[in-house]
């Protein structure tokens, strides 16, 4: 069944079962592979995108629920890696393997949209994504740096 | 209909197919895909932005260096980027000698098929040439430094010829060739084509380390950072091969068991479902032709075929939904004797206590006699199975045809992947192309090629159609190659000075290793010392876990040393200084002193807050007798501060870590590895445990397997990495595994000082008050 989604400012048509999680529509149907699969059960945050400006875990959202809403993925954050979060992540050299980082950055975007000056506790709550490489200390610093750069 | 799939012909079985499957087979036949994808489609899959295996065409100076006419340097590496920055390090090493501008440098993988076609020129350093661990081993460094020097001299020679001046008068710097006397200048790129054709009479000798200006002097960020920032870095799971279908797989939950039956009818009509294929471990595998050798070997418990069922569908989600509904019956095999975790723990603890039959791996003095008198200290320890829980789930994409295989896979060892593929498909290694990708962390989970075997075992059942296989998180967790299970019992007697007269260690583990136990430098100052080991196994498979046996043995030994020090009422850092007094490697005491000073060891702290310490070495060499070789490996010490609130809430305000790697090549890269290793080491030691139920793993996902996260109360609030412990010894030792070791033992020590209770079993939180 075909339906339309608004992703990174573009209207795209998808031919898929609308109950398919948004994550797999992005990855398999639209070849937008920046958004990652980690756990599939709303825990790790690797699949985080923003929907209407709020961080959302795309593995846990049927594509149908995203119809008519504004979706932003890591690919759409900026045309040239100049979003404040991307700049902060580069400056603090956050990523190691990098696999979790699209989700981390999108979670940070969502956090900063609703809380421009987060405390450590705010960050720890909102950024509950898993990073097996253990980049947490830098993530916290990078979110604060991004808050300054916004 | 319930049936076994038994129709194996030449190792290729007919899958049970739905009607749709015939459509792809027919399309494949008509579309030319049976013969493998055309070079155009191959290019689509692998020449995309963010794929590190792109083979850019450009004049080649050496096996490892190309320079394009527009002045870009490409360093060709055999090390896969798993997050440890190894690809960047390799490029840095070549850059030191080449004298190029770092901003012009990129790195590409050398495919193992090219290595094979060129007579193993890239794997002269042996089985680890393609292992994505460290980059700074001596052989690899020498190879890359030589490549840089050779390319530089060719550039100079080409310029000399063109300008008609002596090569010795030409300077090569920042990607420019300069002849000062005549004022002539050219970029490396402008001279590249001529230079690549130059034959030197003699290859230049790389300069001594003392003259380095780039390595050890600067820090560089990882080359693929920009690709990570915008999501364009291609991991295995991101590879798109035109015409591919998707599969997800379930292996027998009890490792080593067999498939009894499954019922395809139950899911046949589900949307997108094309076929069910079976992996039969009893089917004969092809083996390798002639003198071909798989660098990591083949064995039933590392990468041998496991019984499995996979569903193939148009899309991953369809395959996953269908597999969840597919009725499958398994025979748990030998695993069923392991009815629960308690039984496993009792058995291994008993093996560790029953010292009699252990294999003596180190013996100094007369331990039995020396244990007879003096103050006795005894302790028992255990570390459970842990899963790697790498963020990128196992996956791979393969296209198998009768005489050719192509595989895209996130692997730590693509050469191993190539040979596993040949064994599984019967296609000779020279017809196998493995395209390695970026890797969502390795830690030893992706070296054996068991994942690759599963992928090609599925793909070979649908020849001519590319298949992407993705493990669910639950499947990956339950099909781990876990951190080794280990237990130990320690007995010591202390002399009147509080120092050990005798230490007797009996260890049982799923892997034979005395690293950081039998080879401890402390034994140079313990007159009677003995270590006995035994191997004990269940049906669960194990593998390297960011340092095989390192995190277990080090936890045992260092916790025991802290117990001795506390019993003797001697400061634990001072206790270690005394034990190390006779050891000729100055790094150990230097690292201890550095971390103690920086962490302000001994400071007075409020009640309920305390510091603990531990030290160890990863990759230290041993003598034939099992004694440590000074100035080898990476020595790391940690001080962990623990705070226990009045309500019993435990937190870690601060961790300090110092290291002696000899010389540090890329300081910021090492810092990142140290921070990450502290986190992963504490997560494993404090939180993680794999449980067993009738031979099968219980935990599957993050709802049951706790891994340290940003909001975990036990996440260290600060991690301070200190470099003042480095001895500037000429070795450039590794940084990935070392920080995994000391933190849990240092935590247990601090916890004891704060609460009076010793934690001797991991996961430590399970045994906290
Ligand atoms: S993949 Fe969605 S939260 Fe883990
Ligand atoms: S950077 Fe590797 S999992 Fe986060």
């Amino acid at each position: 069944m075909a339906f339309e989604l608004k992703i990174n400012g573009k209207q795209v048509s998808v031919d898929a079962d609308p109950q398919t999680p948004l994550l797999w529509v992005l990855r398999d149907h639209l070849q937008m592979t920046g958004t990652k699969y980690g756990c599939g059960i709303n825990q790790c945050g690797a699949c985080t995108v923003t929907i209407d400006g709020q961080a959302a875990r795309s593995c846990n959202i049927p594509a149908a629920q995203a119809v008519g809403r504004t979706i932003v993925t890591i690919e759409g954050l900026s045309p040239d890696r100049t979003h404040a979060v991307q700049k902060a992540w580069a400056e603090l050299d956050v990523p190691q393997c990098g696999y979790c980082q699209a989700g981390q950055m999108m979670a940070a975007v969502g956090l900063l949209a609703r809380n421009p000056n987060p405390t450590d506790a705010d960050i720890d709550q909102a950024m509950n994504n898993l990073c097996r490489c253990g980049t947490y200390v830098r993530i916290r610093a990078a979110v604060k740096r991004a808050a300054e750069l916004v | 209909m319930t049936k076994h799939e038994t129709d194996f012909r030449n190792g290729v079985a007919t899958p049970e197919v739905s009607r749709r499957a015939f459509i792809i087979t027919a399309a494949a036949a008509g579309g030319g895909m049976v013969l493998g994808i055309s070079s155009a489609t191959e290019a689509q899959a692998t020449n995309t932005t963010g794929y590190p295996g792109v083979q850019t065409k450009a004049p080649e100076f050496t096996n490892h260096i190309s320079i394009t006419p527009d002045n870009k340097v490409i360093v060709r590496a055999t090390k896969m980027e798993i997050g440890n920055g190894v690809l960047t390090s390799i490029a840095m090493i070549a850059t030191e000698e080449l004298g190029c501008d770092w901003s012009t440098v990129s790195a590409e993988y050398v495919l193992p098929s090219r290595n094979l076609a060129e007579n193993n020129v890239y794997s002269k350093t042996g089985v680890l040439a393609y292992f994505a661990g460290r980059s700074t081993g001596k052989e690899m460094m020498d190879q890359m430094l030589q490549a840089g020097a050779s390319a530089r001299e060719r550039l100079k020679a080409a310029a000399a010829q063109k300008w008609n001046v002596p090569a010795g008068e030409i300077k090569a710097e920042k990607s420019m060739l300069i002849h000062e006397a005549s004022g002539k200048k050219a970029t490396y790129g402008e001279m590249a084509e001529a230079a690549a054709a130059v034959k030197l009479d003699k290859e230049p000798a790389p300069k001594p380390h003392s003259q380095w200006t780039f390595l050890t002097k600067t820090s560089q960020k990882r080359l693929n950072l920009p690709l990570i920032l915008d999501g364009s870095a291609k991991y295995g799971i991101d590879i798109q091969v035109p015409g591919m279908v998707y599969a997800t797989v379930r292996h027998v939950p009890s490792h080593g068991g067999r498939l009894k039956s499954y019922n395809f009818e139950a899911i046949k009509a589900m949307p997108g479902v094309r076929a069910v294929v079976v992996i039969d471990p009893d089917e004969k595998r092809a083996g390798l032709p002639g003198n071909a050798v798989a660098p990591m070997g083949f064995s039933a418990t590392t990468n041998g075929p496991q019984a499995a069922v996979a569903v193939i569908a148009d899309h991953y989600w369809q395959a996953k939904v269908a597999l969840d509904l597919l009725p499958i019956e398994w025979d748990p095999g030998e695993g069923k004797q392991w009815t629960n975790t308690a039984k496993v723990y009792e058995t291994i603890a008993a093996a560790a206590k029953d010292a009699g039959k252990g294999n003596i791996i180190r013996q100094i003095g007369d331990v039995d006699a020396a244990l007879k008198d003096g103050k006795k200290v005894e302790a028992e320890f255990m570390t459970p199975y842990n899963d790697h829980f790498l963020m990128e789930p196992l996956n791979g994409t393969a296209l198998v045809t009768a005489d050719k295989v192509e595989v895209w896979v996130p692997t730590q060892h693509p050469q191993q992947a190539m040979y596993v593929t040949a064994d599984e498909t019967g296609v000779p290694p020279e017809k196998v192309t493995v395209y390695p990708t970026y890797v969502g962390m390795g830690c030893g989970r992706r070296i054996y090629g068991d994942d690759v075997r599963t992928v090609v075992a599925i793909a070979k059942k649908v020849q001519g159609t590319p298949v992407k296989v993705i493990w669910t998180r639950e499947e990956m967790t339950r099909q781990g190659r876990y951190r080794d299970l280990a237990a130990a019992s320690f007995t010591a007697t202390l002399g009147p000075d509080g120092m050990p007269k005798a230490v007797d260690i009996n260890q049982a583990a799923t892997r034979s290793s005395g690293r950081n136990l039998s080879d401890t430098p402390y034994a140079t100052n313990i007159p009677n010392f003995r270590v006995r080991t035994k191997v004990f196994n269940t049906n669960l498979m194990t593998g390297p876990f960011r340092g095989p046996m390192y995190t277990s043995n080090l936890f045992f030994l260092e916790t025991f040393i802290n117990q001795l020090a506390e019993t003797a009422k001697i400061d634990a850092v001072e206790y270690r200084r005394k034990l190390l007094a006779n050891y000729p490697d100055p790094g150990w005491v230097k690292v201890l002193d550095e971390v103690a000073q920086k962490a302000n060891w001994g400071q007075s702290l409020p009640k309920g807050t305390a510091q603990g310490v531990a030290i160890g070495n990863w990759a230290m060499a041993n003598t034939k007798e099992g004694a440590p070789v000074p100035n080898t490996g990476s020595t790391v010490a940690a001080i962990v501060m623990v705070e226990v609130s009045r309500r019993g809430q435990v937190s870690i305000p601060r961790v300090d870590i110092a290291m002696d790697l000899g010389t540090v090549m890329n300081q910021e890269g090492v810092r990142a590895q140290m921070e990450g290793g502290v986190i992963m080491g504490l997560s494993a030691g404090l939180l993680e445990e794999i449980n067993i139920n009738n031979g099968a793993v219980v935990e599957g996902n993050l709802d049951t397997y706790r891994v340290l996260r940003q909001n975990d109360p036990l996440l260290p609030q600060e991690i301070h990495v200190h470099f003042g412990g480095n001895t500037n010894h000429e070795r450039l030792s590794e940084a990935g595994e070392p920080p995994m070791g000391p933190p849990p033992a240092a935590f247990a020590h601090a916890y004891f000082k704060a609460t009076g209770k010793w934690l001797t079993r991991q996961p430590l939180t399970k045994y906290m008050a």
Side-chain angles (χ1 to χ4, degrees), chain B residues 3 31 45 47 92 118 132 136 227 303 316 339 357 383 431 469 519 627 630 632 640 675 719 722 734 750 760:
Chain B
K3 77 166 211 166
N47 254 345
M92 285 179 70
E118 294 180 24
T136 54
L227 304 175
N303 52 25
Y316 169 77
T339 43
K357 293 171 220 97
T383 55
K431 295 288 163 78
V469 185
D519 62 0
T632 62
V640 173
E675 291 170 353
I719 300 174
H722 309 293
E734 60 217 82
T760 57

Short mmCIF file of all heavy atoms in Angstrom, two decimals, chain B residues 3 31 45 47 92 118 132 136 227 303 316 339 357 383 431 469 519 627 630 632 640 675 719 722 734 750 760:
data_model
loop_
_atom_site.label_atom_id
_atom_site.label_comp_id
_atom_site.label_asym_id
_atom_site.label_seq_id
_atom_site.Cartn_x
_atom_site.Cartn_y
_atom_site.Cartn_z
N LYS B 3 8.53 -30.79 7.64
CA LYS B 3 9.54 -31.68 7.07
C LYS B 3 10.95 -31.18 7.32
O LYS B 3 11.18 -30.01 7.60
CB LYS B 3 9.29 -31.90 5.58
CG LYS B 3 9.70 -30.74 4.70
CD LYS B 3 9.74 -31.18 3.25
CE LYS B 3 10.77 -30.41 2.51
NZ LYS B 3 11.18 -30.84 1.26
N GLY B 31 17.91 -11.60 -16.17
CA GLY B 31 18.60 -10.32 -16.00
C GLY B 31 20.10 -10.43 -15.89
O GLY B 31 20.77 -9.45 -15.62
N ALA B 45 27.06 -0.76 -5.43
CA ALA B 45 27.08 -1.21 -4.04
C ALA B 45 28.30 -0.71 -3.30
O ALA B 45 28.25 -0.45 -2.11
CB ALA B 45 27.01 -2.73 -3.99
N ASN B 47 30.91 1.60 -4.63
CA ASN B 47 31.57 2.86 -4.95
C ASN B 47 30.80 4.04 -4.41
O ASN B 47 30.88 5.15 -4.91
CB ASN B 47 31.73 3.02 -6.46
CG ASN B 47 33.18 2.81 -6.86
OD1 ASN B 47 34.05 2.84 -6.02
ND2 ASN B 47 33.41 2.61 -8.14
N MET B 92 48.29 7.53 9.27
CA MET B 92 49.24 8.43 9.94
C MET B 92 50.67 7.91 9.83
O MET B 92 51.62 8.67 9.64
CB MET B 92 48.87 8.58 11.42
CG MET B 92 47.66 9.47 11.67
SD MET B 92 47.27 9.59 13.45
CE MET B 92 48.66 10.57 14.05
N GLU B 118 47.81 -11.20 -5.52
CA GLU B 118 49.18 -10.69 -5.57
C GLU B 118 50.09 -11.45 -4.62
O GLU B 118 51.01 -10.88 -4.03
CB GLU B 118 49.17 -9.18 -5.28
CG GLU B 118 48.45 -8.41 -6.37
CD GLU B 118 48.41 -6.90 -6.14
OE1 GLU B 118 49.28 -6.38 -5.42
OE2 GLU B 118 47.49 -6.27 -6.71
N ALA B 132 41.73 -6.65 12.57
CA ALA B 132 41.47 -5.25 12.86
C ALA B 132 41.72 -4.92 14.32
O ALA B 132 40.91 -4.29 14.97
CB ALA B 132 40.03 -4.90 12.50
N THR B 136 49.81 -0.56 15.53
CA THR B 136 51.16 -0.08 15.85
C THR B 136 52.12 -1.21 16.20
O THR B 136 53.18 -0.96 16.74
CB THR B 136 51.11 0.92 17.02
OG1 THR B 136 50.43 0.28 18.11
CG2 THR B 136 50.37 2.17 16.64
N LEU B 227 31.97 11.32 7.86
CA LEU B 227 30.96 10.38 7.36
C LEU B 227 30.02 9.93 8.48
O LEU B 227 28.86 9.60 8.24
CB LEU B 227 31.64 9.14 6.76
CG LEU B 227 32.65 9.38 5.66
CD1 LEU B 227 33.32 8.08 5.27
CD2 LEU B 227 31.97 10.00 4.44
N ASN B 303 33.65 -21.19 14.56
CA ASN B 303 32.98 -20.79 13.32
C ASN B 303 32.42 -21.97 12.54
O ASN B 303 32.12 -21.84 11.36
CB ASN B 303 33.96 -20.00 12.45
CG ASN B 303 35.28 -20.76 12.27
OD1 ASN B 303 35.30 -21.99 12.37
ND2 ASN B 303 36.35 -20.05 12.01
N TYR B 316 13.29 -6.82 5.25
CA TYR B 316 13.71 -7.36 6.54
C TYR B 316 12.53 -7.53 7.48
O TYR B 316 12.39 -8.55 8.15
CB TYR B 316 14.77 -6.44 7.18
CG TYR B 316 15.03 -6.83 8.63
CD1 TYR B 316 15.80 -7.95 8.92
CD2 TYR B 316 14.45 -6.13 9.68
CE1 TYR B 316 16.00 -8.34 10.24
CE2 TYR B 316 14.64 -6.52 11.00
CZ TYR B 316 15.43 -7.62 11.27
OH TYR B 316 15.62 -8.02 12.56
N THR B 339 21.10 -27.20 33.03
CA THR B 339 19.71 -26.82 33.27
C THR B 339 19.56 -25.38 33.73
O THR B 339 18.60 -24.72 33.40
CB THR B 339 19.09 -27.75 34.34
OG1 THR B 339 20.06 -27.92 35.40
CG2 THR B 339 18.76 -29.11 33.75
N LYS B 357 44.01 -31.77 40.28
CA LYS B 357 44.27 -32.18 38.89
C LYS B 357 44.63 -31.01 37.97
O LYS B 357 44.70 -31.18 36.75
CB LYS B 357 43.06 -32.94 38.35
CG LYS B 357 42.87 -34.28 39.06
CD LYS B 357 41.53 -34.91 38.67
CE LYS B 357 40.81 -35.57 39.83
NZ LYS B 357 39.78 -34.72 40.47
N THR B 383 33.89 -14.94 37.45
CA THR B 383 33.35 -14.00 36.46
C THR B 383 32.46 -14.79 35.50
O THR B 383 32.84 -15.87 35.05
CB THR B 383 34.45 -13.31 35.64
OG1 THR B 383 35.29 -14.30 35.03
CG2 THR B 383 35.30 -12.40 36.51
N LYS B 431 37.96 -17.07 -6.16
CA LYS B 431 36.69 -16.63 -6.77
C LYS B 431 35.76 -15.99 -5.72
O LYS B 431 34.57 -15.81 -5.96
CB LYS B 431 35.99 -17.83 -7.44
CG LYS B 431 36.75 -18.39 -8.62
CD LYS B 431 36.64 -17.42 -9.77
CE LYS B 431 37.66 -17.63 -10.85
NZ LYS B 431 37.51 -18.65 -11.78
N VAL B 469 21.42 -10.63 5.18
CA VAL B 469 20.98 -11.33 6.39
C VAL B 469 21.26 -10.44 7.60
O VAL B 469 22.39 -9.96 7.77
CB VAL B 469 21.73 -12.67 6.56
CG1 VAL B 469 21.16 -13.44 7.75
CG2 VAL B 469 21.68 -13.51 5.28
N ASP B 519 51.71 -14.84 35.07
CA ASP B 519 52.83 -14.02 34.59
C ASP B 519 52.93 -12.70 35.37
O ASP B 519 53.57 -11.76 34.91
CB ASP B 519 52.72 -13.76 33.08
CG ASP B 519 51.46 -13.00 32.71
OD1 ASP B 519 50.66 -12.67 33.61
OD2 ASP B 519 51.26 -12.76 31.50
N ALA B 627 57.31 -16.44 32.93
CA ALA B 627 57.62 -15.20 33.63
C ALA B 627 57.36 -14.01 32.69
O ALA B 627 57.41 -14.15 31.48
CB ALA B 627 59.07 -15.20 34.09
N PRO B 630 59.88 -7.82 30.77
CA PRO B 630 59.77 -6.37 31.04
C PRO B 630 59.66 -5.56 29.75
O PRO B 630 60.13 -6.00 28.69
CB PRO B 630 61.09 -6.04 31.76
CG PRO B 630 61.60 -7.34 32.28
CD PRO B 630 61.11 -8.39 31.32
N THR B 632 57.19 -4.85 27.82
CA THR B 632 56.31 -5.36 26.75
C THR B 632 54.87 -5.07 27.15
O THR B 632 54.57 -4.89 28.34
CB THR B 632 56.47 -6.88 26.52
OG1 THR B 632 56.10 -7.58 27.71
CG2 THR B 632 57.89 -7.24 26.14
N VAL B 640 39.49 4.11 41.18
CA VAL B 640 38.06 4.36 41.07
C VAL B 640 37.56 4.90 42.40
O VAL B 640 37.90 4.36 43.46
CB VAL B 640 37.30 3.06 40.71
CG1 VAL B 640 35.79 3.27 40.75
CG2 VAL B 640 37.73 2.56 39.33
N GLU B 675 38.98 6.03 27.75
CA GLU B 675 37.66 6.39 28.29
C GLU B 675 36.65 5.29 27.99
O GLU B 675 35.90 4.85 28.87
CB GLU B 675 37.16 7.70 27.65
CG GLU B 675 37.95 8.93 28.07
CD GLU B 675 37.58 10.16 27.24
OE1 GLU B 675 36.79 10.05 26.26
OE2 GLU B 675 38.07 11.25 27.57
N ILE B 719 35.95 10.87 33.94
CA ILE B 719 37.05 9.93 33.66
C ILE B 719 38.27 10.78 33.31
O ILE B 719 38.22 11.60 32.38
CB ILE B 719 36.73 8.99 32.48
CG1 ILE B 719 35.47 8.16 32.80
CG2 ILE B 719 37.91 8.05 32.20
CD1 ILE B 719 34.99 7.30 31.64
N HIS B 722 45.55 9.91 32.17
CA HIS B 722 46.84 10.55 32.44
C HIS B 722 47.95 9.87 31.64
O HIS B 722 48.02 8.65 31.58
CB HIS B 722 47.14 10.46 33.93
CG HIS B 722 46.01 10.95 34.79
ND1 HIS B 722 45.63 12.27 34.81
CD2 HIS B 722 45.15 10.29 35.62
CE1 HIS B 722 44.59 12.42 35.63
NE2 HIS B 722 44.29 11.23 36.12
N GLU B 734 49.46 -1.22 22.41
CA GLU B 734 48.06 -0.97 22.06
C GLU B 734 47.26 -0.34 23.20
O GLU B 734 47.68 -0.36 24.34
CB GLU B 734 47.41 -2.27 21.62
CG GLU B 734 47.42 -3.35 22.67
CD GLU B 734 47.64 -4.72 22.04
OE1 GLU B 734 48.79 -5.09 21.76
OE2 GLU B 734 46.65 -5.41 21.83
N ALA B 750 37.40 -0.10 46.37
CA ALA B 750 36.78 1.11 46.94
C ALA B 750 35.49 0.75 47.67
O ALA B 750 35.20 1.28 48.74
CB ALA B 750 36.50 2.12 45.82
N THR B 760 33.54 -10.35 45.29
CA THR B 760 34.49 -11.25 44.64
C THR B 760 33.89 -11.96 43.43
O THR B 760 34.57 -12.70 42.76
CB THR B 760 34.98 -12.31 45.63
OG1 THR B 760 33.84 -13.01 46.15
CG2 THR B 760 35.76 -11.69 46.78
#
